[in-house]
Amino acid sequence: MTTPNRFIVVDDDPLNNLVCNHIILKVDPDAKITLFTNPEKALEMVQTFGESSEKGDFVLFLDVNMPSMSGWEFLDAFESLDEKIHERFRIYMLSSSIDQGDIEKAAANPFVRGYYPKPLSFETMGLLNL
């Protein structure tokens, strides 16, 4: 996987998305960032981006608790996508939940590379080894 400079943030909270956008751009001024408050639309774009012949990979920050589709439901739908799509995404859960069950569930999911508290911080970005 190449070092991504493309980011997707999926969170129903527009304020959190703005914070993510700000932090990512401070860390990587050349980053291309796509923000979604609707996880279903994000999933459609993930499939489109993943099938694209454009080179490069993506970091996806995914909220756990969203009203229309939870982060877990998003991951279940992501699992049904083609393996070539899976390979292009590094998914990190970004949540205000400190529920140990959520943390363990994220750790057990093969698509999730980490579980971090909201809001996204410079410290978290440093932990991602981008």
Side-chain angles (χ1 to χ4, degrees), residues 63-65 94-99 115-118:
D63 187 20
V64 172
N65 297 311
L94 196 59
S95 180
S96 55
S97 170
I98 56 168
D99 182 300
Y115 187 99
Y116 298 100
K118 281 185 186 179

Side-chain angles (χ1 to χ4, degrees), residues 75-90:
L75 288 167
D76 289 343
F78 181 81
E79 183 176 9
S80 71
L81 300 177
D82 189 273
E83 181 67 32
K84 289 179 182 168
I85 295 172
H86 297 165
E87 294 169 0
R88 297 192 68 187
F89 288 87
R90 296 180 192 176

Side-chain angles (χ1 to χ4, degrees), residues 8-9 12 15 30 41 44 56 61 67 72 75 78-79 82 85 87-88 90 93-95 100 110 112 127:
I8 297 172
V9 180
D12 62 306
L15 182 58
D30 297 324
K41 290 216 181 302
E44 289 172 23
F61 290 112
W72 308 120
L75 288 167
F78 181 81
E79 183 176 9
D82 189 273
I85 295 172
E87 294 169 0
R88 297 192 68 187
R90 296 180 192 176
M93 303 299 282
L94 196 59
S95 180
Q100 192 60 37
V112 177
L127 296 172

